Every structure is written in structure tokens, then in C-alpha cells.
Amino acid sequence: MIRTALVLALLAAPAVAQDQAQAARNAARALEEASVQLDAAESARDQVRALTQTVQAYGEGLAALRDGLREAAIRETELSRRLAAQEGEISQLLGVLSALGTASGPQALLHPDGPVGSARAGMMLASVTPGLAQEAQQLRADLTEVADLRALQENAAATLRDGLAGVQTARTELSQAVADRTALPKRFTEDPVRTAILIAATETLEGFASGLSEIATNETPADLPPVAARRGSLPLPVRGEILRRAGEADAAGVSRPGIVVATRSRALVTTPAAATVRYSGPLLDYGLVTILEPQPDLLLVLAGLDTTYAQTGEILPEGAPVGLMGGDEPGTGEDPSPSREASGAGRTETLYIEVREGDAPVDPLEWFASDKG
């Protein structure tokens, strides 16, 4: 079991910007709620639901921490470059301030032009000193900010280590809970022979999708919440950034009708709506593929998974875990590197999402909200 003290480890993360701070607070709140649900879970299904929320909340919290560290690194670099460029001015300023600090009263009154020159020099000094003081105050503030930013990044290593350990534990427990739960409702039974024949005869995703009905036996009518009214507002099945839109060619010049979402390693993929699992397994050059059917004649194709939890024929509720992306979690070595996290590294995996209405693909962004970063 993941205890509250562990899931709230991210609260120790220093906030850099208000939006990251709010995201971290939201994630911590979700972690606390998930911990309560996990403690109260009486069945494997309840555990799966709570652990799914736990993994997602950890992901949100770690993402907020990484974003904050990235901003901290950018700000530190900016200040350090500015201070380096002003090194000559700073040295002169420090020299003047040092001279002013060591001057004695009588010596300050002496001037080659006599009392009038001393008076004029005093007037000039009186007008210059506030400016020097302001420059010194700004310098002190910049140096303090640089020191604070460096301390923030150094101290974040422990927070990252705790958070990464927590999310890895949650993923392990989620996999076990999925294995332990009783069978989900099934809309149909998969015929493995027909599935093998269909895969062997398939050369394209379109051809495979059009033959999906052939692999089902003992199929019953679907009884799922309608999704037509949610067109354009379905959540993306994974947190990430849209790398390529529908029809955009990749580096090899290949274009596909779906979108490609860049995700962090080991990101959790979930169902955007309640759906029947029409297929789950390897397919062509897409890797592991899960095809969901939220309503008749609507297919959501999720390709590029490393681990899949779904089984063909199952009916999954909205937000249910579908699988995990591949890769190694950033910072899983002996010492998580805040500089690496701050660089934005880690979105190394890609999930291909295709939406098919009837026999034709449509732009997935007609169905999914695309404001998830």
C-alpha cells in the first residue's frame, strides 16, 4: 500500500511559478484523495481505480516539478549571463562602495579647491550615492536569486527521487491489481484463430479495422454512455504534447491520418471514454495496439504501447488503465539530475492516435481536446 506520507512527498517541492505551484498543489490533493480511496478499497477493481488516479497524480506532480525546474534553470542562466556581462561595472561599483566605506570624516572634507570644492564634491557625492545604493541593492538581489535558484535545483533531487520511487511503486501495484481483479464485463469472446488469420492477411491498419467484426463471437449489444455530444472535448488518453498532426509527414516522409503525441517514459494511457476493447495486441509496425469502440462505427486506435492491460472483448469504464508507454523514467539512476529534468528531456515516447468513423479516418482533434501539455 502507498501511504499518505509517501504520496505527499511532492509537497516538499519548491514552487517557482504560480501555475506550476497550483499544478503541484492539485496533484498533491489528488494523491491524498487516491491514498484515501486506496485504503478504503475492498476489491481489486477499486484498487485499480485508486492506483490509476495515483499514477496520474504522480505524473502531474512530477511534470509540474520538472516545469518549475526548467524555468528555474532558464532564469539562473539568464541572471548568470547578465552578471557576467556586467563584471567590469560590478568591480568598479564594489571599488567605489569600498572607498566610500573606508573614508574618514576629516579626509572626506579635504579638497584641492578648498572649502568650495569640498562642498561641490559633497553635493555630487550626495546625488550619486543613492544611485550607487540602488545598483548595489539590485546586485545583491540578483546574487541572492541565483543562489536560491541553485539551491532549489540541488534540493529538488531528493524530491524527484521520492516522487519517482512513489510512481514506480504505484505502477507495480497497478499491474498487480489489474492481474488480481475479477474479469471485467465482456461484450464478446475473441476467436484467436480468426484473429491470427486477420493479422496475417492484413497489410494496413484500415484493412485490419474493417475486419474486426470477424474476430468476435457471442457478441452482445453495447450499453455504453453516448459520446457524440462530447465530440471535441474528450481528454487525450495520455499526458503529452502533440508532435505531429493528422496528415503531417514524419522524418521519413510518411504521413498518416492520426496524430502523434510525445509522452514521458512510462506514462499511463487511459480510456478517454467508456468503450469496448475491439483489439489489444501487436499489429503491423505499430507495436502494441489497443483499439477502443466507444460507440458503434467509432474506433479509437492507440498504437505504440509498451505494456497493455486491456483484453479484447472487455468493456472498460472511462479513465480505466489501458497500458504504459515504454522507455526508462528520467532520473532513475543513482542520482536524479535536476539539470536534466530542467532541460525538458524525457518526452522520448510517442503514442499514435487514430480515430475512424465507419470505414474512414477523421482528424482525431475533431474528437479530442488538444490543450493538454
Side-chain angles (χ1 to χ4, degrees), residues 46-373:
D46 292 338
Q47 290 180 348
V48 167
R49 190 179 302 109
L51 286 167
T52 298
Q53 182 180 342
T54 299
V55 173
Q56 290 175 320
Y58 260 121
E60 296 292 328
L62 288 171
L65 175 58
R66 290 178 176 118
D67 289 344
L69 287 175
R70 183 166 58 252
E71 290 196 8
I74 293 172
R75 177 61 176 165
E76 182 197 354
T77 301
E78 175 189 331
L79 286 173
S80 297
R81 287 177 178 173
R82 190 172 77 190
L83 291 171
Q86 296 176 334
E87 185 174 0
E89 297 177 18
I90 292 172
S91 298
Q92 184 178 10
L93 172 61
L94 293 177
V96 172
L97 292 175
S98 178
L100 289 175
T102 57
S104 62
Q107 290 175 333
L109 295 175
L110 298 178
H111 194 278
D113 294 335
V116 175
S118 296
R120 289 175 178 172
M123 293 172 63
M124 292 176 62
L125 182 61
S127 62
V128 171
T129 300
L132 293 175
Q134 184 177 1
E135 289 187 40
Q137 183 177 6
Q138 183 61 51
L139 172 62
R140 187 181 300 110
D142 289 346
L143 291 173
T144 299
E145 185 175 357
V146 169
D148 290 344
L149 290 170
R150 287 179 181 172
L152 182 152
Q153 295 179 76
E154 291 171 0
N155 294 336
T159 302
L160 279 172
R161 190 179 297 110
D162 290 342
L164 289 169
V167 74
Q168 289 164 352
T169 300
R171 289 193 194 109
T172 300
E173 293 189 2
L174 175 58
S175 298
Q176 186 60 51
V178 168
D180 291 343
R181 71 183 174 189
T182 55
L184 290 171
K186 279 205 169 187
R187 183 178 170 189
F188 64 86
T189 303
E190 178 189 15
D191 186 323
V193 175
R194 292 181 183 178
T195 300
I197 293 174
L198 178 61
I199 292 175
T202 294
E203 296 183 355
T204 64
L205 178 59
E206 180 179 358
F208 183 81
S210 63
L212 278 176
S213 60
E214 300 174 7
I215 71 175
T217 62
N218 303 320
E219 185 165 355
T220 59
D223 185 19
L224 297 173
V227 296
R230 301 176 63 189
R231 189 184 186 102
S233 63
L234 288 178
L236 285 173
V238 68
R239 178 187 173 91
E241 295 179 355
I242 296 177
L243 189 62
R244 280 193 300 277
R245 294 178 177 268
E248 291 183 351
D250 59 16
V254 178
S255 62
R256 287 173 169 166
I259 62 174
V260 175
V261 179
T263 79
R264 295 196 179 274
S265 301
R266 311 304 294 163
L268 180 64
V269 181
T270 59
T271 53
T276 301
V277 181
R278 275 292 171 183
Y279 176 75
S280 185
L283 181 64
L284 301 172
D285 62 343
Y286 290 91
L288 280 180
V289 174
T290 296
I291 301 179
L292 304 174
E293 186 185 57
Q295 66 183 27
D297 295 326
L298 178 64
L299 297 178
L300 310 180
V301 181
L302 310 177
L305 297 163
D306 180 70
T307 302
T308 180
Y309 297 134
Q311 294 185 19
T312 303
E314 287 182 335
I315 299 176
L316 298 179
E318 180 174 347
V322 171
L324 294 172
M325 301 301 294
D328 295 322
E329 184 76 52
T332 53
E334 294 181 0
D335 185 21
S337 171
S339 61
R340 180 181 177 185
E341 301 299 341
S343 69
R347 283 197 172 95
T348 58
E349 304 302 311
T350 54
L351 182 71
Y352 175 72
I353 304 174
E354 185 170 313
V355 177
R356 304 186 67 84
E357 293 182 13
D359 293 330
V362 298
D363 186 348
L365 295 185
E366 292 182 13
W367 281 92
F368 291 104
S370 59
D371 58 350
K372 211 170 184 179

Side-chain angles (χ1 to χ4, degrees), residues 1-8 31 34-36 38-39 51 54-55 58 165-171 173:
M1 282 286 185
I2 299 175
R3 309 308 301 174
T4 303
L6 175 60
V7 299
L8 293 181
L31 284 168
S35 178
V36 172
L38 194 56
D39 288 341
L51 286 167
T54 299
V55 173
Y58 260 121
V167 74
Q168 289 164 352
T169 300
R171 289 193 194 109
E173 293 189 2

